[in-house]
């Protein structure tokens, strides 16, 4: 009888979990990951982007970034280009929105021109790199539909949730992505990107996680294109979170006076 | 003495470190120009080589709330003495307060949305010897106060000094049959260059629409021409009217479509007219699953003065294409034609550029004037089709 109760109890407790579909579980984990990285308010960081072609030739970009967390909408962000020297002073302002197209302005310093640009080109390369605009954009929950695949070891003794996510926004260059998130802190570890035809196009890996306050940030992101053999490394430095930036630091005027 | 030295050093060190190397940037460039037809006017050459240097010093302190910018510019030109010139593009101080920006000094400002011409843009004088497209500007002395709101801003410009337009000299191409003598400029206002100009502009955005309304009252940046006081048969003298201009800029940004409109109403003591440029840019993204973007541009150019006025673009159509390779060298190409619907005149223009290595950029520009009608203000440029190649080293 005792055993029977035990089994009953077990059944009662495991039932909701059993009833959870892979889609529900995937969404639940995406929500948990989103919640884990909420509350940083604002962030500044420096990025060095190294583009490498198949024969190993390198080309460097240096970018300073600022982001402002938004409640109930995608983040606001500013990117200021320092290198290559011919585009020094060029800057980009983005108000990202979940499924709605982002608002985006570009500042061209030689002409002093602030230009509203279409954010349609999500699948296009960012600065000639292997990162597409959509890879670097604000990752809102509603941008994808999710499916839980499995749990597996993912290096350094970490255990990872493996999720498949399918872009729900228009004009994505991907048919799906498979993402590895570590089960304890929900840090992204790896993403495989599949092109529109369904073949594995690129793999992004994160390295060198450190905590800044309560939040994890990686020192390095590495994108390998499997079709072209080209790759891009992003090295991050000088992460500063919760620095007191506000909406006034993210408008067309701020874009044009940034240095 | 040693103590004095160390105190001096202690005082100098922060000052020296504030003038950091990182604050300097800029470029040095060599440019070759070749005109494909023999000259139309006496004294003009056919090819020239030219060297330009533009160092840029920018320093910010107080967490970016204060800033100082200094950008001198100099060009040496083998063909045209008037194109050999120097200018201070910027020499200005910026102070930012919550919701306010103050600027004082020599500055540069751009207004506008369209591609074929920039009607509304009036704050800075055109440095015409630099480029015939009118996109190169001279530094304008000003005090500028900006009130910044959530979705826009209001600017007030106070301009105590007027900059005269540069014009090619007698040996230069792309000039009128009689060269313009800039030393003989005349003014409607008795204050001449010291006339106090002012301007206001309100700009903002609402969803997918960016808009701006502007007002300018001061010396017209575009001169008329009068007979030269000493050599009326050889030279022209620029004459600067007083001008009031009301301007409108609109852009709707869709997913693939951009719709654009610029319109101005201008009023001087001799004429009242309006002019507009409006059209679209449609972008095909990632052609054939590549990184290539192709934009197709169409704009209509109108000027109410019609064929009687001195406006070259009174009833013209601009068609163009913008090709962006999105490669590591940022290769791009813009090609377009302005077709006069009243006259037969056509102007073709190509601009292409590509980065070489990490610090060099190669730019090619070509302009072709074809079937130019004798009654078109462009007739003076009929023989001035050219190809220009520039190699710039950025630092």
């Amino acid at each position: 009888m005792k055993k029977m109760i035990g089994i009953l109890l077990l059944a009662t407790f495991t039932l909701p979990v059993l009833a959870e579909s892979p889609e529900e579980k995937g969404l639940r984990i995406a929500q948990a990951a989103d919640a884990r990285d909420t509350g940083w308010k604002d962030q500044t960081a420096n990025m060095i982007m190294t583009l490498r072609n198949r024969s190993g030739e390198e080309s460097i970009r240096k970018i300073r970034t600022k982001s402002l967390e938004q409640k109930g909408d995608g983040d606001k962000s500013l990117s200021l280009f320092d290198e290559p020297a011919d585009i020094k002073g060029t800057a980009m302002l983005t108000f990202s929105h979940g499924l709605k197209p982002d608002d985006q302005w570009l500042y061209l310093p030689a002409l002093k021109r602030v230009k509203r640009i279409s954010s349609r080109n999500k699948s296009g390369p960012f600065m000639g790199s292997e990162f597409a605009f959509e890879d670097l954009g604000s990752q809102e929950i509603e941008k994808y539909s999710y499916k839980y695949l499995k749990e597996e070891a993912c290096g350094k003794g970490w255990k990872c949730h493996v999720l498949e996510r399918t872009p729900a926004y228009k004009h994505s260059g991907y048919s799906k992505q498979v993402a590895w998130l570590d089960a304890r802190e929900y840090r992204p570890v790896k993403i495989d990107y599949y092109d529109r035809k369904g073949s594995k196009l690129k793999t992004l890996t994160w390295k060198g996680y450190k905590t800044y306050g309560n939040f994890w940030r990686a020192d390095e992101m590495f994108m390998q294109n499997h079709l072209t053999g080209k790759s891009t490394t992003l090295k991050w430095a000088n992460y500063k979170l919760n620095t007191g930036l506000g909406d006034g630091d993210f408008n067309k005027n701020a874009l044009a006076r940034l240095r | 003495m040693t103590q004095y030295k160390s105190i001096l050093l202690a005082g100098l060190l922060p000052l020296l470190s504030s003038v950091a190397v990182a604050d300097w940037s800029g470029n040095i460039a060599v440019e070759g120009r070749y005109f494909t037809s023999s000259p139309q006017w006496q004294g003009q050459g056919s090819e020239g080589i030219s060297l330009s240097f533009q160092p840029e010093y920018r320093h910010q302190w107080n967490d970016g709330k204060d800033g100082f910018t200094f950008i001198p510019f100099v060009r040496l030109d083998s063909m045209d003495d008037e194109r050999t010139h120097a200018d201070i593009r910027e020499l200005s101080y910026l102070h930012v307060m919550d919701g306010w920006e103050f600027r004082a000094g020599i500055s540069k400002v751009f207004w506008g949305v369209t591609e074929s011409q920039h009607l509304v843009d009036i704050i800075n004088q055109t440095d015409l010897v630099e480029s015939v497209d009118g996109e190169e500007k001279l530094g304008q002395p000003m005090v500028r106060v900006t009130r910044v709101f959530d979705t826009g801003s209001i600017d007030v410009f106070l301009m105590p000094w007027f900059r005269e337009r540069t014009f090619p000299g007698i040996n230069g191409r792309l000039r009128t049959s009689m060269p313009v003598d800039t030393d003989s400029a005349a003014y409607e206002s008795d204050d001449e260059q010291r006339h106090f100009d002012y301007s206001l502009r309100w700009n903002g955005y609402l969803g997918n629409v960016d808009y701006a309304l502007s007002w300018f009252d001061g010396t017209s940046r575009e001169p008329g021409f009068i007979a030269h006081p000493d050599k009326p048969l050889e030279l022209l003298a620029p004459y600067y009217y007083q001008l009031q201009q009301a301007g409108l800029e609109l852009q709707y940004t869709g997913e693939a479509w951009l719709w654009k409109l610029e319109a101005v109403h201008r009023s001087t003591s001799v004429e009242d007219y309006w002019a507009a440029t409006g059209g679209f840019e449609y972008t095909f993204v990632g052609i054939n699953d590549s990184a290539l973007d192709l934009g197709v541009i169409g704009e209509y150019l109108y000027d109410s003065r019609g064929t009687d006025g001195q406006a070259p673009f009174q009833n013209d159509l601009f068609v163009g294409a913008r090709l962006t390779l999105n490669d590591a060298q940022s290769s791009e190409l813009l090609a377009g034609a302005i077709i006069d619907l009243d006259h037969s005149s056509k102007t073709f223009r190509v601009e292409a550029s590509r980065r070489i290595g990490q610090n060099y950029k190669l730019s090619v520009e070509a302009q072709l004037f074809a079937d130019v009608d004798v009654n078109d203000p462009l007739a003076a440029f009929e023989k001035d089709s050219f190809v220009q190649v520039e190699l710039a080293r950025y630092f």
Side-chain angles (χ1 to χ4, degrees):
Chain A
M1 188 62 193
K2 250 189 184 165
K3 205 176 177 186
M4 193 64 186
I5 289 170
I7 288 167
L8 260 174
L9 267 174
L10 192 71
T12 324
F13 280 120
T14 50
L15 207 61
V17 181
L18 285 176
E20 192 177 37
S21 69
E23 286 77 16
E24 284 164 346
K25 189 170 181 185
L27 177 64
R28 183 167 59 80
I29 285 164
Q31 284 166 337
D34 186 65
R36 179 67 187 83
D37 196 44
T38 296
W40 45 269
K41 290 183 181 151
D42 67 83
Q43 173 183 308
T44 63
N46 298 355
M47 180 210 280
I48 297 176
M49 197 175 218
T50 307
L51 281 57
R52 225 168 277 104
N53 68 13
R54 198 197 285 265
S55 50
E57 288 167 66
E58 292 188 349
S59 158
I60 309 278
R61 281 113 182 74
K62 288 185 181 165
I63 302 161
R64 283 177 275 160
T65 67
K66 293 180 179 186
S67 330
L68 185 69
E69 201 178 11
Q70 299 284 299
K71 291 212 168 71
D73 201 355
D75 302 333
K76 294 182 176 180
S77 69
L78 259 176
S79 306
L80 172 66
F81 302 100
D82 287 327
E83 277 184 39
D86 65 293
I87 57 157
K88 185 181 165 69
T90 303
M92 196 157 66
L93 173 67
T94 307
F95 295 169
S96 59
H97 307 295
L99 292 179
K100 254 179 50 187
D102 299 343
D103 301 325
Q104 212 161 46
W105 291 266
L106 187 68
Y107 176 65
L108 304 166
L111 292 175
K112 303 272 158 192
R113 183 172 181 178
V114 174
K115 229 176 159 177
R116 175 81 173 261
I117 55 173
S118 165
S119 59
R120 156 83 175 76
N121 194 4
K122 291 195 183 303
S123 58
F126 177 80
M127 306 280 298
S129 76
E130 295 313 306
F131 284 85
F133 281 90
E134 60 187 307
D135 306 340
L136 294 166
S138 180
Q139 302 290 315
E140 306 305 312
I141 297 171
E142 67 267 28
K143 281 186 161 176
Y144 303 92
S145 62
Y146 302 87
K147 193 171 144 192
Y148 188 81
L149 296 180
K150 61 188 169 188
E151 190 177 276
E152 70 177 21
C154 50
K156 289 203 244 176
W158 291 7
K159 233 187 225 165
C160 273
H161 296 299
V162 187
L163 307 182
E164 183 182 295
R165 51 182 208 181
T166 309
Y169 52 88
K170 282 199 280 183
H171 313 304
S172 173
Y174 308 122
S175 55
K176 68 169 184 185
Q177 302 172 5
V178 177
W180 281 255
L181 292 172
D182 95 86
R184 263 181 63 176
E185 295 285 347
Y186 298 101
R187 288 163 290 197
V189 171
K190 185 169 101 165
I191 295 181
D192 284 336
Y193 295 90
Y194 291 81
D195 66 16
R196 291 192 190 113
K197 296 182 197 101
S199 36
K200 191 159 115 179
L201 177 65
K202 304 186 293 192
T203 299
L204 171 60
T205 43
W206 281 260
K207 257 192 245 167
Y209 273 106
K210 291 192 183 79
T211 47
Y212 298 83
N214 289 322
F215 304 100
W216 290 96
R217 293 291 179 268
D219 288 343
E220 193 179 312
M221 293 162 74
F222 176 74
M223 183 73 91
Q224 176 69 54
N225 188 315
H226 304 298
L227 293 188
T228 62
K230 294 187 200 170
S231 67
T232 300
T233 308
L234 291 190
K235 284 221 159 101
W236 292 91
N238 285 333
Y239 277 118
K240 288 187 186 104
L241 274 65
N242 197 0
T243 65
L245 295 177
D247 284 312
D249 298 294
F250 296 84
N251 56 41
K252 284 201 262 181
N253 285 76
L255 177 71
R257 67 163 193 256
L258 216 73
R259 284 291 161 231
Chain B
M1 188 63 194
T2 354
Q3 202 184 359
Y4 174 70
K5 255 187 191 164
S6 59
I7 289 169
L8 194 71
L9 268 178
L12 271 176
L13 269 176
L15 192 74
L16 283 175
S17 61
S18 76
V19 186
V21 182
D23 290 338
W24 283 99
S25 60
N27 73 82
I28 185 160
V30 56
E31 173 205 278
R33 257 185 176 187
Y34 176 71
F35 292 86
T36 53
S37 308
S38 347
Q40 184 170 198
W41 317 115
Q42 219 173 7
Q44 291 182 311
S46 274
E47 54 204 44
I49 192 151
S50 173
L51 207 66
S52 70
F53 180 48
Q54 179 170 297
E56 306 184 8
Y57 176 79
R58 291 187 180 86
H59 184 63
Q60 282 195 343
W61 63 100
N62 232 344
D63 217 10
K65 301 284 184 230
D66 290 285
F68 173 76
T69 308
F70 176 47
I71 306 179
F73 170 81
V74 60
R75 175 180 295 284
L76 301 172
D77 192 81
S78 71
M79 190 162 114
D80 182 0
D81 290 344
E82 292 294 319
R83 205 166 180 248
T84 294
H85 70 304
D87 182 40
I88 296 175
R89 297 295 200 223
E90 287 182 61
L91 176 63
S92 103
Y93 166 71
L94 160 75
H95 181 67
V96 183
M97 278 159 50
D98 202 22
W100 293 90
E101 292 176 10
F102 301 90
R103 284 176 179 83
I106 299 168
S107 240
K108 210 162 93 169
V109 169
F110 178 85
W111 299 349
V113 291
T114 56
E115 299 300 324
S116 53
Q117 66 171 350
H118 307 299
L119 280 177
V120 172
D121 192 32
I122 195 166
I123 295 293
N124 291 82
Q125 179 59 275
T126 298
D127 193 357
L128 193 63
V129 294
E130 270 303 296
S131 173
V132 70
D133 69 4
E135 287 192 348
E136 299 299 329
K137 299 290 177 181
L138 298 169
Q140 171 65 48
M142 68 172 83
V143 170
R144 175 183 175 189
V145 179
T146 311
R147 179 78 177 103
V148 185
F149 306 104
D150 278 352
T151 58
S153 61
I154 292 175
D155 279 296
V156 178
F157 298 88
L158 308 171
M159 294 163 277
W161 182 256
F162 175 74
R163 301 295 313 274
E164 291 171 351
R165 182 166 293 198
T166 59
F167 284 96
I170 189 152
N171 306 122
R173 284 295 191 99
L174 297 155
R175 68 162 167 87
T176 41
S177 59
M178 287 194 283
V180 177
D181 177 21
T182 50
D183 296 330
S184 304
Y187 292 86
E188 184 178 25
S189 164
D190 294 337
D191 292 335
E192 302 196 324
Q193 275 190 292
R194 289 180 308 278
H195 185 271
F196 189 90
D197 298 353
Y198 77 92
S199 178
L200 304 167
R201 182 169 180 257
W202 170 42
N203 89 92
Y205 81 100
L206 199 68
N208 291 328
V209 178
D210 287 56
Y211 58 84
L213 287 169
S214 55
W215 174 255
F216 170 87
D217 190 336
T219 308
S220 171
R221 272 46 182 157
E222 191 181 353
F225 299 105
I226 55 172
H228 193 272
D230 306 323
K231 300 175 177 170
L233 297 176
E234 291 165 43
L235 296 170
L236 290 172
Y239 184 83
Y240 292 97
Y241 284 99
Q242 284 298 301
L243 169 83
Q244 288 84 46
Q245 174 179 302
L248 167 76
E249 297 153 63
L250 274 179
Q251 181 178 318
Y252 168 83
T253 307
E255 292 201 342
W257 290 98
L258 303 180
W259 289 96
K260 300 169 170 192
L261 176 69
E262 277 188 43
V264 289
H265 181 271
R266 289 182 186 145
S267 169
T268 68
S269 57
V270 290
E271 58 183 0
D272 266 297
Y273 66 98
W274 70 278
T277 313
F280 68 86
E281 177 163 351
Y282 183 90
T283 306
F284 298 92
V285 163
I287 292 168
N288 276 336
D289 275 333
S290 71
L292 223 81
D293 294 343
L294 177 69
V296 181
I297 309 167
E299 289 179 2
Y300 175 68
L301 297 78
Y302 175 78
D303 190 304
S304 70
R305 290 172 294 178
T307 48
D308 306 333
Q310 52 162 306
F313 308 126
Q314 77 299 338
N315 177 27
D316 290 48
L317 201 62
F318 170 78
V319 285
R322 187 199 308 275
L323 191 65
T324 313
L325 263 55
N326 289 313
D327 57 349
Q329 292 79 29
S330 304
S331 312
E332 52 189 33
L333 182 137
L334 178 66
I338 297 182
I339 301 145
D340 196 312
L341 301 177
D342 290 328
H343 307 299
S344 57
S345 318
K346 297 169 196 71
T347 313
F348 300 90
R349 189 174 170 84
V350 179
E351 297 170 16
S353 66
R354 179 180 174 85
R355 184 181 309 112
I356 298 174
Q358 186 78 3
N359 297 313
Y360 289 89
K361 189 166 144 184
L362 184 70
S363 310
V364 179
E365 217 175 284
Q367 188 147 356
L368 173 71
F369 300 94
D371 304 330
V372 181
D373 190 290
V374 284
N375 297 312
D376 195 307
L378 289 175
F381 300 163
E382 195 194 347
K383 303 282 185 197
D384 291 338
S385 299
F386 68 92
V387 183
Q388 172 183 313
V389 180
E390 186 194 70
L391 181 66
R393 165 83 160 91
Y394 288 82
F395 56 88

